[in-house]
Amino acid sequence: MPESASAKLAASTSLQTTVEIIPGGEVSGRIRPPGSKSITNRALLCAMFARSESTLQGALQSEDTEVMIQSLRKIGVTVTTKDAGQTLVVDGSTRESSAADPAGGFIELYIANSGTTIRFLTAALSAAGGRYLLSGVPRMHERPIGDLTAAIAPVLEGTIETCSPGGCPPVRIDSLGWRAGVVEVRGNVSSQYLSGLMMAAPVSGRTTRIVVQGELVSRPYVEMTAQVMRAFGAEVHAVQSNATGCEFEIAANRYVATDYEIEPDASAASYFWAAAAITGGTVTVDGLSRSAMQGDVGFCQVLKSMGCDVQYANDSITVTGKRLIGIDCDMNEISDTVQTFAVVALFADRPSRVRGVGHNRFKETDRIGDLARELRKLGARVDEHDDGLSITPLQNQSGADFGGAQLATYYDHRMAMSLSLAGLRLPGVRIENPACTVKTYPEFFHDLQRLLGRPHVWRS
């Protein structure tokens, strides 16, 4: 596979700061990760279009949520933070009904590399009306959004266009809102397109029918979207939702303000459950259950298939590591945990195969090609496929005679967090640019150190 632009950037950039996780036997303990990024940004968007104050408790404070908050503030929404950012009071009544730059130009919104923010706001702001230019970091301008803008264009009173080759951001919107019609969108690149359209529908003030063409990836995230919308008063009806396709009808009623509790982030929790699996320890994650809104709690069932013991309680999930078995699994619905799984698979007794995640190439980095490149630095054999990876376990899993490795993160928070777990068994694993976890989990390495009960080694 050719190198992605982010891979070339990682190879050409000197990232001086590294962190090394020190091996030390079984990892056991309890932890509660911060609030879910996915739920926080969905709740923020629904709250911004309500007519009074909503209070969001348990919110995530990170780069991804901060760029959403700053964008809301730039178009007039009042967002007040409390409890070190874990409580957000959002007053949608202050939002400009048809926002535009006072000088008659476009309001410029900087999105950094937050896929949820740019996709959700692109849909919602086009439905609300106004003139906007949404841009981000160079990698964001490589991440396709053309399918979303193409879905919006037929119902838009105005224009919407992408400004980079391949239908990538920046996105320029000049809109008077949506007119009546059926919205059609492809489902095989990112479920965030569908989620963005769903959340935009009540903003349009019209009953909207959304038809997904072809396979829908990461289906649990769409179900999460519907649940958050309903909590803010939206009416979401699944006309069809099965293995062959899905179609939704969303009523014209507007969002209403509410007090909303946000779950801990299940994707973040996967790293701690994986730490137990890799080391044979026992880790309990508080605040999540089998019935959690986030599909990524399904990662625990993957670990169970690999031989781990999994115990579910009303408000916690506990994983105990056992002898790990290599498995063949479809991770389409929990694709944000593929990198975590790949590191666990290094310490299994036989090869593992991941399927159904071809769309991972279009995330913050190429999470198939770039992941394979870094795992090979640990001595693993990794084969890329169109829809995933095959991972052959390390021959020497004890770390004896392993000379260490410095692993690139490609400015991808999930690469940093997942690859660091290899250091629980292998000495000398150094993670470049650990600060990139600020995107969704600024305190990750602090929380991991607290769980381990021993310090990491930082170099700069």
Side-chain angles (χ1 to χ4, degrees):
M1 293 286 181
E3 284 193 333
S4 66
S6 57
K8 294 176 182 177
L9 178 64
S12 64
T13 303
S14 176
L15 300 174
Q16 295 183 352
T17 300
T18 65
V19 62
E20 180 180 341
I21 311 301
I22 305 301
E26 296 179 1
V27 176
S28 295
R30 305 184 75 98
I31 194 162
R32 184 184 179 100
S36 163
K37 175 203 76 172
S38 299
I39 299 176
T40 299
N41 271 354
R42 283 165 171 79
L44 279 166
L45 188 136
C46 294
M48 75 177 282
F49 289 105
R51 291 193 174 96
S52 57
E53 282 190 356
S54 298
T55 300
L56 314 181
Q57 296 180 325
L60 172 66
Q61 186 178 33
S62 72
E63 180 183 272
D64 269 19
T65 55
E66 184 61 24
V67 294
M68 176 69 91
I69 290 169
Q70 291 305 322
S71 295
L72 267 58
R73 287 173 173 159
K74 197 159 187 181
I75 59 176
V77 179
T78 300
V79 183
T80 305
T81 61
K82 301 179 179 178
D83 306 324
Q86 295 182 48
T87 299
L88 303 174
V89 180
V90 183
D91 188 352
S93 69
T94 61
R95 181 182 60 86
E96 297 293 335
S97 59
S98 183
D101 184 271
F106 290 81
I107 292 181
E108 297 187 12
L109 304 178
Y110 177 72
I111 309 301
N113 199 18
S114 175
T116 56
T117 302
I118 198 166
R119 291 161 182 170
F120 295 173
L121 286 180
T122 292
L125 295 177
S126 71
R131 307 182 78 196
Y132 305 94
L133 180 65
L134 290 75
S135 64
V137 301
R139 173 58 183 169
M140 175 57 76
H141 298 170
E142 299 174 335
R143 300 176 66 182
I145 198 171
D147 284 338
L148 177 59
T149 58
I152 293 168
V155 297
L156 187 69
E157 294 282 1
T159 60
I160 184 169
E161 59 182 339
T162 56
C163 304
S164 293
C168 296
V171 179
R172 184 181 289 112
I173 301 167
D174 190 349
S175 170
L176 295 175
W178 287 7
R179 54 179 170 262
V182 176
V183 178
E184 297 183 350
V185 63
R186 288 174 56 201
N188 64 344
V189 177
S190 173
S191 65
Q192 290 175 5
Y193 296 163
L194 174 57
S195 288
L197 293 167
M198 290 170 64
M199 288 187 289
V203 179
S204 73
R206 303 177 183 276
T207 297
T208 305
R209 185 173 290 254
I210 303 174
V211 178
V212 179
Q213 300 170 330
E215 176 194 15
L216 174 62
V217 298
S218 305
R219 186 179 293 265
Y221 282 96
V222 176
E223 296 169 357
M224 175 199 298
T225 300
Q227 289 188 56
V228 175
M229 290 174 64
R230 291 178 182 125
F232 284 84
E235 294 182 21
V236 184
H237 305 285
V239 180
Q240 176 189 3
S241 184
N242 52 42
T244 59
C246 59
E247 185 175 331
F248 297 90
E249 184 172 280
I250 300 168
N253 55 304
R254 301 279 186 171
Y255 290 116
V256 296
T258 189
D259 292 341
Y260 191 78
E261 183 78 28
I262 295 167
E263 294 176 348
D265 195 299
S267 304
S270 73
Y271 309 117
F272 304 115
W273 289 320
I278 290 169
T279 65
T282 298
V283 172
T284 298
V285 173
D286 292 317
L288 292 169
S289 69
R290 193 168 197 165
S291 60
M293 186 185 304
Q294 300 164 80
D296 279 357
V297 295
F299 182 69
C300 292
Q301 288 302 109
V302 172
L303 293 179
K304 185 173 183 179
S305 298
M306 298 184 79
C308 295
D309 178 68
V310 180
Q311 298 294 322
Y312 296 95
N314 291 335
D315 194 45
S316 66
I317 303 175
T318 301
V319 170
T320 299
K322 305 288 185 181
R323 180 173 177 269
L324 292 171
I325 303 165
I327 61 173
D328 188 319
C329 59
D330 187 318
M331 297 185 72
N332 179 279
E333 293 193 346
I334 56 171
S335 59
D336 276 348
T337 65
V338 167
Q339 292 141 294
T340 320
F341 169 79
V343 176
V344 177
L346 296 176
F347 303 100
D349 65 349
R350 68 192 72 163
S352 292
R353 172 77 157 87
V354 182
R355 303 178 187 273
V357 295
H359 59 286
N360 269 21
R361 291 193 184 276
F362 305 102
K363 300 277 190 173
E364 283 82 343
T365 189
D366 177 350
R367 290 181 176 172
I368 294 177
D370 295 339
L371 174 62
R373 183 177 300 108
E374 300 313 306
L375 294 177
R376 291 177 189 129
K377 293 179 183 178
L378 300 173
R381 174 181 171 179
V382 183
D383 298 310
E384 297 181 47
H385 310 289
D386 289 342
D387 72 335
L389 297 162
S390 293
I391 302 134
T392 300
L394 298 172
Q395 291 186 345
N396 190 339
Q397 298 183 6
S398 68
D401 302 322
F402 177 69
Q406 183 156 312
L407 306 183
T409 56
Y410 308 87
Y411 299 94
D412 182 347
H413 55 130
R414 300 210 185 282
M415 290 288 278
M417 292 185 280
S418 59
L419 292 173
S420 70
L421 301 176
L424 297 174
R425 291 275 294 269
L426 303 176
V429 175
R430 301 178 302 281
I431 306 300
E432 292 179 351
N433 189 25
C436 69
T437 64
V438 71
K439 188 173 192 294
T440 56
Y441 196 164
E443 297 298 316
F444 171 74
F445 285 105
H446 174 270
D447 286 355
L448 179 62
Q449 180 172 288
R450 181 165 53 86
L451 182 66
L452 298 180
R454 59 183 182 270
H456 313 317
V457 175
W458 296 83
R459 298 183 178 88
S460 58

